[in-house]
Amino acid sequence: MIFLSHNKLDKAVVEPIAIRLSNLYGQDNVFYDSWSIQPGDGIIDKMNEGLSK
């Protein structure tokens, strides 16, 4: 699992990297907030789940 940690101000820089990594390793193997955390999810729980993978 590749975990991308970033500040919201860095999203424009990080998103293309996330997409490239997703193309290389599959979206299920990249933890990126825009597709890994859905509305209603516990952010801390999802981050801990991503880190444990």
Side-chain angles (χ1 to χ4, degrees), residues 25-40:
Y25 301 105
Q27 188 169 329
D28 291 341
N29 294 314
V30 179
F31 187 96
Y32 178 57
D33 65 339
S34 290
W35 62 63
S36 298
I37 302 173
Q38 302 302 314

Side-chain angles (χ1 to χ4, degrees), residues 4-39:
L4 296 170
S5 177
H6 65 288
N7 182 295
K8 67 180 179 177
L9 299 176
D10 298 328
K11 197 165 212 58
V13 173
V14 174
E15 187 160 352
I17 295 168
I19 291 168
R20 177 74 173 136
L21 290 169
S22 174
N23 290 337
L24 291 171
Y25 301 105
Q27 188 169 329
D28 291 341
N29 294 314
V30 179
F31 187 96
Y32 178 57
D33 65 339
S34 290
W35 62 63
S36 298
I37 302 173
Q38 302 302 314

